Amino acid sequence: MDTLNIAGKSYNSRLLVGTGKYKDFAQTRAAIDASGAEIITVAIRRTNIGQNAGEPSLLDYLPPEEFTYLPNTAGCYSADDAVRTLRLARELLDGHKLVKLEVLGDPDTLYPNMLETIKAAEILIKDGFDVMVYCSDDPIIAKQLEEMGCAAVMPLASLIGSGMGILNPWNLQIIIENAKIPVLVDAGVGTASDAAIAMELGCQGVLMNTAIAAAKDPVLMAGAMKKAVEAGREAFLAGRMPRKLYSASPSSPTNGLIG
Amino acid sequence: MIHLTINGNPRQFDVERLTVGELVETLGLTGKRLAIERNGEIVPRGHFADAVLNSDDKLEIVGAVGGG
């Protein structure tokens, strides 16, 4: 069985999805069901005080018993804020250790601040967290994060929410070839072919949110992404034919031609 | 009177003594999945009942929301 293995646990789905930007919780749930994702990211935010106590919450639609929650540190610009957020997440989710660390460096591009990310990763790993880390597609940084003890490295394909696809497949390939821990593409996927390319490169998985949530039909796109990730994975395992400018070997027999 | 800052907003409670557990109840958050930090330190759920609040405590009450 070809499974995604992260921090000692196996998953059948290699597609990880976010839960933000959907029209409502019902659509969130429908899209996640269509994606087949087992790991879903959530953000940690201040609870609304004194507003509709009976109002449904994300957790009512996506019970933590059914999914592996991956709390993130979206919106954090310092190591301290990220660590604080994930400690609250661990308390919120009954001691849950698997987290997505991202420390941003700039509000316009949402590009990661790797100095702060590394600082936070160090503290979190010491504190017993299994850290899946959003990072730049720098092979040296990715290796350092692995050596520190991160559970997975998640380089960006392109900027968060940009839908620009994989802009530097060569760097990704170097990261994948050198890695002993799972490499997942996180951020930048725009459509199904982007996810397939990431998997064909040998990524262990793909994490996305906007590509599904901002599609005209998010549920249909979620299904497309599921197939793309599966197809890309199978193509990677199958091993593609070598690229040649032209081939003197046609697929049909050269003998028995009429005339 | 106990003065607290909850999620950045000042709140007053006309009582002599208030535990985190009582505060959660007063705010109508009983049974909600949440995590609470007091003055930068997490108050474990199991300690809500015996964590007594002091005036000027700063509280963060958080939950999980949609995110990527």
Side-chain angles (χ1 to χ4, degrees):
Chain A
M1 185 75 193
D2 176 48
T3 55
L4 168 65
N5 303 308
I6 297 174
K9 215 179 146 191
S10 304
Y11 303 89
N12 292 318
S13 171
R14 293 178 179 274
L15 174 57
L16 290 68
V17 297
T19 55
K21 299 183 179 172
Y22 288 97
K23 187 180 70 178
D24 52 34
F25 290 139
Q27 190 190 54
T28 313
R29 174 74 208 213
I32 285 165
D33 283 344
S35 77
E38 294 164 277
I39 302 177
I40 58 174
T41 63
V42 294
I44 306 300
R45 289 291 180 273
R46 285 173 164 172
T47 296
N48 284 334
I49 305 291
Q51 288 178 6
N52 311 334
E55 190 174 88
S57 75
L58 183 72
L59 286 88
D60 296 329
Y61 282 80
L62 300 163
E65 303 76 39
E66 273 183 63
F67 298 93
T68 296
Y69 267 44
L70 189 63
N72 70 24
T73 58
C76 290
Y77 285 83
S78 71
D80 285 349
D81 282 349
V83 169
R84 199 175 158 200
T85 299
L86 291 178
R87 283 180 175 149
L88 279 164
R90 181 170 59 183
E91 172 62 22
L92 184 76
L93 298 170
D94 304 320
H96 176 85
K97 294 196 305 183
L98 187 69
V99 295
K100 169 179 161 178
L101 171 65
E102 63 178 288
V103 184
L104 303 176
D106 173 62
D108 293 325
T109 62
L110 303 178
Y111 205 83
N113 178 333
M114 292 316 302
L115 290 179
E116 289 295 308
T117 302
I118 286 171
K119 242 192 263 174
E122 215 155 39
I123 298 167
L124 290 166
I125 291 164
K126 249 185 223 155
D127 205 4
F129 284 92
D130 295 323
V131 180
M132 299 177 72
V133 55
Y134 171 62
C135 57
S136 57
D137 60 357
D138 177 333
I140 307 302
I141 293 274
K143 196 68 195 170
Q144 284 172 338
L145 290 165
E146 173 182 316
E147 284 165 357
M148 285 172 63
C150 287
V153 286
M154 304 199 291
L156 46 76
S158 48
L159 298 177
I160 293 175
S162 71
M164 293 282 280
I166 297 165
L167 298 184
N168 195 339
W170 313 110
N171 268 26
L172 265 184
Q173 212 170 318
I174 297 171
I175 292 172
I176 291 163
E177 275 174 20
N178 291 332
K180 293 190 185 72
I181 56 172
V183 178
L184 292 86
V185 152
D186 180 4
V189 165
T191 189
S193 53
D194 297 334
I197 290 169
M199 297 307 294
E200 286 170 10
L201 285 170
C203 281
Q204 292 285 320
V206 181
L207 198 168
M208 66 180 76
N209 192 150
T210 313
I212 296 174
K216 276 188 195 147
D217 184 338
V219 179
L220 192 57
M221 185 58 91
M225 290 300 185
K226 177 180 197 268
K227 292 172 194 147
V229 167
E230 287 170 359
R233 177 65 182 172
E234 286 176 15
F236 169 74
L237 292 175
R240 62 155 296 145
M241 63 167 285
R243 282 186 176 88
K244 281 177 282 189
L245 190 55
Y246 56 88
S247 162
S249 147
S251 300
S252 306
T254 49
N255 56 0
L257 289 160
I258 56 162
Chain B
M1 190 75 85
I2 297 174
H3 301 263
L4 302 172
T5 303
I6 303 174
N7 290 352
N9 297 311
R11 294 283 297 252
Q12 293 181 22
F13 296 88
D14 196 9
V15 288
E16 290 294 305
R17 185 178 179 278
L18 187 65
T19 65
V20 172
E22 287 160 353
L23 175 71
V24 167
E25 208 183 315
T26 306
L27 296 175
L29 297 172
T30 310
K32 292 256 171 201
R33 191 182 274 264
L34 43 84
I36 300 183
E37 188 187 72
R38 172 171 55 162
N39 304 328
E41 298 285 328
I42 285 172
V43 184
R45 212 169 306 157
H47 294 180
F48 280 5
D50 47 61
V52 180
L53 291 161
N54 299 313
S55 239
D56 300 327
D57 277 352
K58 287 188 171 54
L59 298 163
E60 292 288 343
I61 304 181
V62 303
V65 302

